[in-house]
Amino acid sequence: MTGLVDSDRFSDGGINFPAIWTEPGFSGVLRKGTPAAQGFAVPRAAPQLEYEVFDEKRQASYAQTVADVLSTPGVYRKRFRARRGRSASE
């Protein structure tokens, strides 16, 4: 599975890696530690890392963003993904 997430713009919810399991005979839960997805940071600029506790406002924003993304198709694409040009000159 491959993909690119604009996580500098999408920060109010966790990053999901949706997938469809294609092994017909599988039933159950993947064993702990089974690789299912991997991510790589691709910075646009040097990151300025912040570590802080979520206050009530941040918790509410996180919960609402996650609820929106999980309940409505296209939320990430329409609200968070940066528009890209079709060629290097755009």
Side-chain angles (χ1 to χ4, degrees):
M1 152 181 0
T2 62
L4 182 63
V5 176
D6 288 320
S7 59
D8 53 339
R9 297 181 60 182
F10 182 76
S11 58
D12 284 340
I15 306 299
N16 293 308
F17 291 93
I20 297 173
W21 197 259
T22 59
E23 185 178 334
F26 178 80
S27 175
V29 177
L30 293 177
R31 195 177 64 210
K32 182 178 180 178
T34 301
Q38 62 183 359
F40 296 95
V42 182
R44 294 171 198 213
Q48 300 266 332
L49 302 179
E50 296 179 25
Y51 299 91
E52 59 192 14
V53 175
F54 279 10
D55 60 17
E56 287 185 28
K57 181 178 176 184
R58 182 81 165 105
Q59 289 176 22
S61 178
Y62 182 95
Q64 185 62 56
T65 299
V66 170
D68 291 348
V69 168
L70 294 177
S71 68
T72 308
V75 167
Y76 169 77
R77 178 178 49 82
K78 293 174 185 173
R79 288 180 30 196
F80 299 100
R81 188 168 71 191
R83 296 207 182 273
R84 303 282 194 261
R86 297 208 178 260
S87 70
S89 63
E90 290 182 272

